Amino acid sequence: MTKVLIVLTNTTRYQGTTDPTGLWLGEAAEFVDEMQKANIDVDYVSPKGGFVPLDPRGMKYVDESIMDVYESADFQDRALMKSLEPKQINPKDYSAIYYTGGHGVMWDFPNSKELQTITNQIYDQGGYVSSVCHGIAGLLNVKNKDGQYLIAGKNITGFTTSEEVLAGKKKVVPFLNEEVGKEHGANFMTKRAYKSFAVEDGQLITGQNPFSTRAVAEKLITKIR
């Protein structure tokens, strides 16, 4: 059975501040919308399981398709209230894993050993590893069985340093995705800020910013359907 595992954040605030953050709703909802159109099932996981907060800034960028997913009982229950814990996941059940964004992921995605193990197992069984925007943070530190970074030598993209500056968060985030991606051997590709851009390189499919979600989903669907 074709199924995709969607990774969400549990982080409620920018660390060191009182400002709220969390999942950027559209980066989950638009992806889910595309999967539903393609009749592909999804599950939801987060580093801790359970409650997933929403980044209030992301709520300014919703449309009817996003709201339709957001208002569905299934999304509210399985994604926002009862996301699975990594220990509940059997990687063999999935054709792909997809890391969503929102600034919150910068704190709980990069060093989750459990999520890294799941990612490696899906990749090793021929599955696809994908992300959008800040979600690339979940891939930056993944190492394969040979101790090499999964992204080394690969073309990838994610939320850029220039976009972080425009978002006013360059000094708040714990690291910059573009810098770390390059440090870990990836060819970090960028296009114009806040324009749709997705990169496919083998089993990796990554999107630059929130407006790249559907492009990532479309590329993934052609591979797994």
Side-chain angles (χ1 to χ4, degrees), residues 9 12 15 18-19 24 33 42 46 51 53 75 83 88 92 95-96 105 119 128 147 159-161 184-185 193-194 210:
T9 185
T12 57
Q15 287 193 10
T18 58
D19 297 333
W24 195 275
D33 184 46
V42 301
S46 61
F51 175 69
F75 187 81
S83 65
Q88 295 176 276
K92 293 181 180 179
S95 302
V105 310
T119 300
Y128 286 80
F159 205 63
T160 66
T161 299
H184 292 179
Y194 296 113

Side-chain angles (χ1 to χ4, degrees), residues 27-138:
E27 293 176 22
E30 288 189 329
F31 185 87
V32 171
D33 184 46
E34 293 297 327
M35 294 300 123
Q36 289 176 341
K37 290 180 197 173
N39 294 314
I40 295 172
D41 291 334
V42 301
D43 283 335
Y44 304 94
V45 67
S46 61
K48 296 179 181 177
F51 175 69
V52 170
L54 295 179
D55 191 318
R57 288 163 59 126
M59 299 305 286
K60 301 174 185 177
Y61 301 92
V62 298
D63 58 21
E64 280 305 306
S65 66
I66 292 173
M67 290 302 294
D68 283 346
V69 173
Y70 177 47
E71 292 174 335
S72 71
D74 179 71
F75 187 81
Q76 290 177 11
D77 182 57
R78 295 199 302 127
L80 301 181
M81 297 304 297
K82 300 175 184 174
S83 65
L84 299 170
E85 296 179 53
K87 66 182 181 182
Q88 295 176 276
I89 300 300
N90 181 355
K92 293 181 180 179
D93 292 339
Y94 302 96
S95 302
I97 187 169
Y98 168 70
Y99 284 82
T100 61
H103 276 95
V105 310
M106 298 291 283
W107 285 276
D108 63 356
F109 278 13
N111 298 311
S112 172
K113 297 298 184 183
E114 292 174 304
L115 289 175
Q116 290 174 15
T117 297
I118 292 168
T119 300
N120 268 322
Q121 290 181 326
I122 290 173
Y123 187 88
D124 288 344
Q125 67 197 25
Y128 286 80
V129 173
S130 60
S131 67
V132 75
C133 199
H134 288 91
I136 191 66

Side-chain angles (χ1 to χ4, degrees), residues 5-16:
L5 183 63
I6 298 176
V7 190
L8 312 167
T9 185
N10 301 117
T11 305
T12 57
R13 298 184 188 225
Y14 293 88
Q15 287 193 10

